[in-house]
């Protein structure tokens, strides 16, 4: 095979895929990434630059986690989608992504007890399934140093209102121009605080059995699907994760139960699952690859995330382990990640110290693209060598 043919070889990650009504041109998804640069919970013009840098024709992008209400916040300067001002601020950002042909989903989120009184309206206690405070570390930045306030257990009759907040957020996202929404049901936030038995100590119909613990998440799913249609709804789940004191004694049963609930909705768009924590095997970090049973059980598109690189991504797409692969840190640091994968080009390294910094705005829109000139000269050299 000559160099030219070798250069043309299509890697599995760069093959097209039809996700519901969306024609994706490749499998490399931007994972949701909180960036803490939305001052006053309003997304800023610099987000239009950041997201459009990462947009490709037929590429799927998911926004950073976006609050559904004033009580949804747990990090400084994260965006929301509950006020008309926030909806208006999202519009030019969504437009910028659409102009580049990208498909853009909004991750809608409530942190529950992963918060402090200072971040809550009128200094109130954060709301949760429980009044148990998060007790120990094992939490990602920027929270590792934070002290979480004691939450207030939601009364049974209040839960409907929080479900309505998700419904409104989904409606607002569509009004802002998003192609759909991803319900954040992962990583120890409010949905998981209900779902997982380490956190849920309720005695009402939202606690106890697996069905009861999943009731709130299922009501959110049903409400969001009812509002915008199953064809525009995905969900992120992490049954095996242990963030923020949220652990389940039977993550496999939990994952299966939730997948069954998604399958009740004809055309439910996607299930985005996070791999269990990386295992260290022979001194190397290895992706556990334990999502296959859920992927097999789910009727729609499956997205896997957590620790993937080019090689592992190609492998899992080729093997049919997943339809799409979401990339977090690599996409954060490489605005043109799909192109770099296609060319097997070197990657920029991410700078962890600027993941969540608010001001100045660095480590955000300033990661370099591949040098076009350098690259085209490399390709022409290959041609000459044929
Ligand atoms: C800076 C940063 C912010 C993140 N914010 C979110 C978020 O808002 N919502 C979410 O579901 N996951 C969030 N995550 C998790 C990522 O989406 C992803 O699952 C994780 O980084 C593992 O994938 P990776 O190995 O490709 O980075 C975040 C991760 C990082 C590093």
């Amino acid at each position: 095979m000559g160099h030219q043919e070798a250069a043309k070889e299509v890697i599995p990650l760069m093959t097209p895929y039809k996700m519901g009504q969306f024609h994706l041109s490749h499998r490399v998804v931007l994972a949701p990434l909180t960036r803490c640069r939305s001052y006053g919970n309003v997304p800023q013009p610099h987000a239009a630059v950041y997201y459009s840098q990462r947009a490709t024709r037929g590429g799927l992008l998911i926004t950073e986690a976006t609050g559904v209400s004033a009580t949804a916040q747990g990090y400084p300067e994260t965006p929301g989608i509950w006020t008309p001002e926030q909806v208006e601020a999202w519009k030019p950002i969504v437009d910028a992504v659409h102009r580049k042909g990208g498909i853009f989903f909004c991750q809608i989120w409530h942190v529950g007890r992963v918060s402090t009184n200072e971040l809550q309206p009128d200094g109130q206690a954060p709301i949760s399934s429980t009044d148990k405070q998060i007790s120990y570390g094992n939490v990602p930045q920027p929270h590792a140093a934070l002290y979480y306030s004691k939450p207030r257990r939601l009364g049974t009759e209040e839960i409907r209102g929080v479900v309505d907040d998700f419904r409104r957020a989904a409606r607002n996202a569509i009004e802002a121009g998003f192609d759909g929404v991803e319900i954040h049901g992962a990583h120890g936030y409010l949905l998981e605080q209900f779902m997982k038995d380490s956190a849920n100590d309720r005695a009402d119909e939202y606690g106890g059995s697996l069905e009861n613990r999943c009731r709130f998440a299922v009501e959110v799913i049903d409400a969001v699907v009812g509002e915008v249609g199953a064809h525009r709804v995905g969900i992120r789940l992490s049954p095996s994760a242990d963030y923020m004191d949220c652990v389940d004694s039977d993550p496999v049963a939990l994952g299966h139960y939730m997948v069954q609930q998604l399958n009740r909705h004809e055309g439910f768009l996607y299930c985005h699952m996070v791999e269990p924590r990386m295992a260290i095997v022979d001194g190397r970090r290895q992706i556990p690859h334990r999502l296959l049973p859920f992927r097999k059980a789910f009727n729609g598109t499956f997205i896997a995330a957590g620790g993937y690189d080019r090689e592992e991504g190609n492998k899992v797409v080729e093997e049919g382990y997943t339809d799409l692969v979401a990339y977090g840190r690599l996409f954060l640091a490489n605005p043109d990640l799909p192109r770099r994968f296609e060319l097997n080009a070197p990657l920029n390294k991410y700078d962890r110290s600027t993941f969540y910094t608010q001001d100045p705005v660095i480590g955000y829109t300033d990661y370099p693209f591949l040098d076009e000139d350098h690259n085209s000269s490399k390709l022409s050299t290959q041609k000459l060598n044929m």
Side-chain angles (χ1 to χ4, degrees), residues 54-75:
R54 285 156 184 76
T56 48
R57 185 155 300 282
L60 173 62
L61 308 185
I62 304 164
T63 67
E64 63 212 275
T66 299
V68 299
S69 69
T71 62
Q73 315 302 313
Y75 294 62

Side-chain angles (χ1 to χ4, degrees), residues 31-34 65 107 184 187 236 306-307 327-329 332 355-356:
L33 292 166
T34 291
Q107 191 187 51
H184 196 340
H187 295 161
R236 196 170 217 215
Y327 289 89
R329 290 160 296 177
L332 184 158
F355 277 178
Y356 304 103

Side-chain angles (χ1 to χ4, degrees), residues 119-298:
L119 286 165
Q120 292 297 314
D122 306 321
Q124 289 176 21
I127 58 171
S128 183
S129 59
T130 177
D131 53 14
K132 276 189 294 185
Q133 200 169 0
I134 297 174
S135 58
Y136 58 82
N138 196 19
V139 292
Q141 290 182 49
H143 278 251
L146 254 184
Y147 161 88
Y148 303 100
S149 301
K150 187 171 166 57
R152 179 178 71 79
R153 182 194 305 272
L154 281 165
T156 309
E157 66 297 341
E158 290 179 282
I159 293 176
R160 179 185 295 270
V162 185
V163 172
D164 280 337
D165 290 338
F166 275 91
R167 190 197 318 269
R168 177 187 52 198
R171 183 170 62 233
N172 286 350
I174 299 304
E175 195 197 322
F178 283 106
D179 299 290
V181 295
E182 174 175 294
I183 298 165
H184 196 340
H187 295 161
Y189 297 112
L190 187 60
L191 268 67
E192 274 207 348
Q193 290 158 33
F194 276 86
M195 281 188 265
K196 292 191 169 173
D197 55 11
S198 76
N200 184 330
D201 57 354
R202 302 179 69 89
D204 62 2
E205 65 264 38
Y206 291 91
S209 67
L210 179 60
E211 184 186 349
N212 279 358
R213 282 183 279 115
C214 292
R215 189 179 306 283
F216 169 62
V218 169
E219 286 179 357
V220 168
I221 293 162
D222 292 353
V224 169
V225 165
E227 192 66 35
V228 303
H231 61 297
R232 292 198 282 208
V233 184
I235 191 166
R236 196 170 217 215
L237 297 169
S238 58
S240 303
D242 57 358
Y243 296 127
M244 315 290 185
D245 273 7
C246 263
V247 193
D248 199 79
S249 55
D250 191 349
V252 175
L254 172 60
H256 276 294
Y257 182 80
M258 287 306 296
V259 166
Q260 282 167 20
Q261 301 309 306
L262 307 181
N263 284 342
R264 287 190 300 118
H265 294 288
E266 175 82 30
F268 191 92
L269 193 61
Y270 72 75
C271 177
H272 181 180
M273 276 209 192
V274 184
E275 295 278 359
R277 196 172 279 274
M278 301 269 253
I280 310 285
V281 180
D282 295 333
R284 282 195 58 212
R285 286 154 63 84
Q286 307 257 335
I287 301 172
H289 294 306
R290 271 196 257 127
L291 305 179
L292 192 60
F294 305 124
R295 185 261 196 291
K296 283 191 172 154
F298 179 56

Side-chain angles (χ1 to χ4, degrees), residues 308-325:
Y308 283 94
D309 60 10
R310 180 181 187 270
E311 192 188 334
E312 290 274 354
N314 277 329
K315 200 170 119 215
V316 290
V317 170
E318 176 140 55
E319 286 171 354
Y321 174 86
T322 189
D323 299 306
L324 307 174
V325 184

